[in-house]
Every structure is written in structure tokens, then in C-alpha cells.
Amino acid sequence: MRSFVALLTPVLAAATPIGIIGGSDTPKPDEISIVSASASGNGCPQGTVTSDLSPDRKVITFGFDAFQVYTGPGTKQSDKSKNCQLHLNLKYPGGFQFAIVESTYHGYAQLEAGVTGTFYSTYYFSQDAAATTTTRTSIDGGGIWADGQVYTKQDQVPTASVIWSPCGATGILNVNNRIALTSSNSSASGQISDDDATVAFTQQVHVSWQACK
Ligand SMILES: *[C@@H]1O[C@H](CO)[C@@H](O)[C@H](O)[C@H]1NC(C)=O
């Protein structure tokens, strides 16, 4: 996978904690689990994001009310690009962990000919921020997109970690999502929204020590 780090300027905004619904069950001690989550960025201002955590704490779904970009007559330069960074606080059991992070994004795109929409997602762990994986999906306007269509973006990012403490450790997975519109025709209009994002952990291998008391 290619990296487009230079295109992704981190947004220095305070993360908005999100009240998590669900997650009442106790996660299994030998599995990676999502402890809490937050979101930050101009695509997800406070009060526009919801989240829902699965009872096993392996899948989280975010809903976005304001993650939308626009181009064309009457729009501003700042309407063309928005980002929303997801921060997932994770609890790791001790040992070697290999997990696939699977993300699915749904939204709506309506793009006239000459307008291109691009959706970038950059995945990195706070403890190893230099190692990033970026996925990119582009839609060229015109044809079926001129009338508007629902789209789906799916990512699969492999991750591996070794936790030396038998009691496990915590970590933060960040997913910086950015949508940007470019246009070769200033009178053509376009819009893209990202309505939801689901991030799931599928753990493949784990080696656990004795349960921590
Ligand atoms: C630019 O976009 C407008 C609006 O969609 C369209 O009417 C016009 O034909 C386009 N111009 C070119 C050169 O494609």
C-alpha cells in the first residue's frame, strides 16, 4: 500500500470524547478490545458524531452528520476538503498479537463531469506514529455519479504487536480520514458525504500468558 503522508496535515484540534453506547459485557482477557474512542477534525465538530461499540468491544461504528465536502459555484475553498480523525483506545493482552483492522465507510457522492473526489484513510498507532498505512479511493465525476450514488470504501490493514507485559498494555489506533474534491471545471459542482465508519478487529493469532490477577 502506498503512503500519502505529505497530503495529510494533522489537525491540531482537541479530540471530542464520545459517549459510548453498549460495551456492557466484559471483554475476554486474551483478546484485543476497544476501551473508548474519540474523534477530532473539521469534518466531525463536537455534537456531530455518534458511536456504537459492540458488546464484545471489537467493532465500533461512528455516525457523521457533518463530514461533507462541496465544490462548484457558490462554494468556498474550505468546503472542498474535510478530515475526521478517529482515535481508538485499545487494550492488548500480553504476548504476540496479529490482527486485521477492517474499516468500512458508507456515504453519498454526486459529482458532475470534471470533478474528482478522493477519500484517504491513514492508519497509525500512537506508539509508532512513523509507521503509517494510507488507503485511497477516487471517484471521477460524470456518468452515474452525476445523478448521485451511494458509495462504500473498504480497507483491510494488517497489524502486529508484541506486548511484553503479562498484564497487557494499552495503545491508541488513529485513523485519519480525509475527503477532498478537485475540479477541472469551475462551473461543475460536486459533493461527497461520509455518513458512517465501522472499524473492526479480527484477531488471528494470540499467545497469552496466565491471566493477570
Ligand atoms: C463545465 O460544467 C458545466 C456544468 O456541469 C457544464 O455545463 C459545462 O459544459 C462544463 N464545461 C466543460 C468545458 O466541460
Side-chain angles (χ1 to χ4, degrees), residues 2 4 14 28 62 75-76 80 93 115 119 165 170 176 190 196:
R2 286 178 295 167
F4 293 88
K28 291 194 186 124
F62 296 87
T75 60
K76 303 187 295 282
K80 290 182 185 169
V115 178
F119 192 148
S165 161
T170 56
N176 193 11
D196 61 68

Side-chain angles (χ1 to χ4, degrees), residues 114-188:
V115 178
T116 298
T118 307
F119 192 148
Y120 305 88
S121 301
T122 297
Y123 297 79
Y124 65 97
F125 289 86
S126 290
Q127 20 334 2
D128 190 11
T132 65
T133 299
T134 298
T135 63
R136 184 171 80 149
T137 303
S138 286
I139 300 172
D140 289 323
I144 59 161
W145 297 104
D147 293 331
Q149 290 281 319
V150 171
Y151 72 84
T152 300
K153 175 183 193 277
Q154 275 182 310
D155 294 338
Q156 287 197 330
V157 178
T159 70
S161 57
V162 182
I163 305 296
W164 293 108
S165 161
C167 299
T170 56
I172 299 173
L173 170 66
N174 303 283
V175 186
N176 193 11
N177 296 298
R178 188 168 77 90
I179 313 172
L181 293 174
T182 55
S183 181
S184 59
N185 176 352
S186 59
S187 26

